[in-house]
Amino acid sequence: MSRVPATTRVPRLLAIVAWVASQADGVPVEHICKRFGIGRTQLLAELNTVMLTGVPPYTPDALITVFVDDDIVRILPQWLDKSMALTAAQGLALLAAAEGLHDVPGSEPDGPLARAMHKLAAALRARPGRDVDIHLGSVGGGVLPVIERALADGESVAITYLSANADRTDERVIEPWVLRAIDGAWQVDAWCQRAGGVRTFRLDRMRDAAPTGEAARTPRGEVDAPGYRSGPDDVPVTLLLDPEVAWVVERWAVDDLEELDDGRLRVHLRVGAAAWLQRILLALGPRVAVEDAGDSRVVDVRPMAERILARYGR
Amino acid sequence: MAPAGEKIGIEERQLNLIQALLYTERPLRAEELRALVNGYRGYDNDESFRRTFERDKQALLSMGVPLVVAGAGADGGTEGYRIDRKRYYLEMPDLAEDELAALRLAVSLVQVGDASGEEALWRVGGVVDTGDGPLAGARTAGPVAVLPSSANLDRIFAALTERAQLTFTYKGEERTVDPMRLDFMRGRWYLSADDHSRNGALRCFRVDRIDGQAHVAAPGSFTRAPDRVVPAPSEAWGFDVDDTVTARLLVDESHADLVAHRLGDTARADRQDDGSVLFEFEVRHRDGFRWLVIDLADHAEVVGPDELRQDLIDWVAGALR
């Protein structure tokens, strides 16, 4: 039973009073305890407090009535017969959670989550998918349930993965540890048997995922905060970005940032995969300059440019 | 009920205060509340009453109690308090047990900020546990998504649901808008709104780029046609910057699914005999389109129109000069 701070006891009590009052036949004490995360002794003490409250002149008819017979609680709530409205933050938290999960492949269009979402949205006057829309990340229908099952069962998964860094497809066996939606992409942190370490895989880059039927071999450990994990072979690179493209660094793991007098941004970062950086340098074109690189091959965009142009017969 | 002169517990006092403020037909002054509400009558000392009353007021506000401060004297000059009943009482969605359980699963997997969602669940009927639902298997590992929260986000949501105009500073300029739509995508919140500073044109704002505090006008300060549908914000290539052209992009089989996810239902996709896919979609921002294509390296080819194809060739060739 989680401990509830004093500042949340009153709103919880208001919710309990309104909910029990709405149950015509009363509610068993244990049921209330479970539903509102409160211990039996605490609940009975708080109900005793409730009975002392009401409106002036605090005559018996102006006080809340609480009956506890045979462990069944009944409440005549006076002015507290309906629950307090959700705050904006609470309303958004519930609606966003419902919509976010509903957006996941496999969610039933008419299931309990969908029904709850539509009822909530109607009460909040926010049409789901129209006024408020939550898109956690893109993912193919088949991959997510496989990863989820492997997480739940502690099994490994064989994947065909399109690596963003190495720019090729390969086969791996991974042991999923943590599933997350970050920056609009579903990712799984997993033990990669081939790499012998924890790696992050984007689900939209998995072309295929199939359970191996084998239990994971490596005990799950702590996973670092999401983001790029630099390796021992990473190359330090310093870039100068024009102001209009400075936004691109928002999602990079950079070592240091410095704004220059002319408005440009000097960015120090470490790069593990040349192909990733080369594509970015090509896309930025004249808006980026390489100031320094630990290995000039990493920032040489010519081979990548030639590959692309070859596709156009150039 | 405690006899006069005896102080009672904070919960009892605050429950009495809430009920008195719900019950009253007119705003009650602090001194009236002191005389009326059981819990304040024990305060003989003016200063200690004032401090306690202020603390209770803050506690009520932090719970989300819609406390109305209005003139209470005959001349309307003295401050009085009451609770707006219409806004206090939740029009409770009648949630069945399986629906509450589904919501419980949802808030345990998808969080906004660091709020657990538990207190919100209490208000709609309590916390009902379940073992099933989408992603239920991923639940043991904590939330799968934590969406960024901010005070401005809450204000925007309130304004959206209450049809209240919003005023805020964006890119150094004050904007007054009618909020129409709130989207979470690519890991960020976006507000789509009719912008009075732009002749009422629909504009999209990144919520985390709003400077300072957004101000919410009175509820109902604008109206929205009930059948109005506002489109979701675009991906970078859809930003309203250049003339609209329909791009045709041929993507290798190996990368086709990835592109299909990114384009979503905004594109037409034709699978070719060799497994590659020809995507057709609208482009309104050349820079954004170039990013998309170059990110695919030589696994994609712009097959039309000629201007987009030539633009890409020229841009990439520029790197060889």
Side-chain angles (χ1 to χ4, degrees), chain A:
Chain A
M1 204 71 56
S2 57
R3 255 187 87 74
V4 176
T7 46
T8 43
R9 281 205 294 271
V10 171
R12 180 174 64 182
L13 203 44
L14 290 167
I16 290 173
V17 168
W19 182 71
V20 174
S22 72
Q23 308 296 307
D25 300 326
V27 190
V29 170
E30 286 312 310
H31 195 150
I32 304 173
C33 291
K34 191 160 174 242
R35 205 174 181 101
F36 292 92
I38 182 170
R40 181 186 177 84
T41 313
Q42 179 77 19
L43 174 67
L44 294 175
E46 291 191 9
L47 289 177
N48 274 331
T49 301
V50 166
M51 287 168 68
L52 301 172
T53 72
V55 293
Y58 303 101
T59 46
D61 61 320
L63 298 178
I64 292 179
T65 310
V66 178
F67 305 99
V68 185
D69 291 326
D70 283 340
D71 242 26
I72 302 287
V73 183
R74 285 183 187 78
I75 298 181
L76 302 176
Q78 302 278 5
W79 287 89
L80 301 181
D81 58 336
K82 278 190 191 167
S83 186
M84 197 193 322
L86 297 165
T87 63
Q90 289 170 339
L92 182 59
L94 287 186
L95 191 60
E99 279 204 37
L101 198 56
H102 186 62
D103 182 52
V104 170
S107 178
E108 299 170 48
D110 302 313
L113 181 65
R115 284 186 270 116
M117 177 178 79
H118 286 293
K119 285 181 181 178
L120 194 62
L124 293 167
R125 297 208 308 159
R127 299 167 299 179
R130 286 190 169 189
D131 302 334
V132 178
D133 199 15
I134 308 295
H135 186 63
L136 297 178
S138 300
V139 64
V143 171
L144 193 61
V146 173
I147 299 295
E148 181 201 351
R149 211 58 263 158
L151 262 170
D153 298 343
E155 291 190 345
S156 58
V157 179
I159 61 168
T160 305
Y161 194 69
L162 181 64
S163 162
N165 293 338
D167 193 23
R168 63 168 184 268
T169 304
D170 56 24
E171 313 281 329
R172 295 160 186 253
V173 175
I174 62 167
E175 300 171 9
W177 284 10
V178 177
L179 177 69
R180 289 191 268 225
I182 309 251
D183 291 346
W186 283 96
Q187 305 178 354
V188 62
D189 290 316
W191 183 266
C192 174
Q193 292 185 355
R194 194 180 73 185
V198 179
R199 297 287 184 273
T200 300
F201 300 93
R202 278 176 57 149
L203 270 60
D204 61 355
R205 288 185 168 270
M206 288 183 189
R207 295 198 56 210
D208 194 23
T212 61
E214 289 177 17
R217 299 179 207 153
T218 315
R220 285 180 198 174
E222 290 293 312
V223 176
D224 293 340
Y228 175 70
R229 297 180 183 85
S230 60
D233 299 329
D234 284 6
V235 175
V237 172
T238 305
L239 304 176
L240 295 174
L241 293 170
D242 285 357
E244 69 265 29
V245 292
W247 57 269
V248 299
V249 301
E250 285 181 14
R251 287 180 182 167
W252 296 353
V254 301
D255 287 344
D256 197 19
L257 279 178
E258 186 187 344
E259 192 171 344
L260 306 180
D261 290 341
D262 61 5
R264 286 188 301 169
L265 205 60
R266 177 180 282 133
V267 186
H268 300 274
L269 69 162
R270 278 167 292 163
V271 179
W276 172 79
L277 180 63
Q278 288 159 2
R279 289 198 304 270
I280 285 172
L281 292 176
L282 261 186
L284 290 173
R287 297 165 186 159
V288 62
V290 178
E291 192 175 60
D292 194 19
D295 180 343
S296 61
R297 286 171 300 180
V298 168
V299 293
D300 182 6
V301 297
R302 299 177 69 90
M304 177 72 76
E306 284 165 359
R307 271 173 59 194
I308 294 173
L309 289 174
R311 177 105 199 202
Y312 294 84
R314 303 296 168 112

Side-chain angles (χ1 to χ4, degrees), chain B residues 71-128:
Chain B
D75 58 356
T78 313
E79 230 171 45
Y81 306 89
R82 64 180 178 82
I83 290 173
D84 181 341
R85 285 181 208 156
K86 199 163 165 272
R87 290 177 61 209
Y88 175 93
Y89 291 123
L90 175 64
E91 285 310 316
M92 176 97 95
D94 185 17
L95 295 169
E97 292 294 286
D98 62 342
E99 293 165 358
L100 276 171
L103 268 187
R104 156 70 160 168
L105 177 68
V107 298
S108 68
L109 287 169
V110 181
Q111 286 185 5
V112 180
D114 54 8
S116 70
E118 194 168 74
E119 208 176 318
L121 282 174
W122 291 341
R123 296 192 188 192
V124 296
V127 179
V128 176

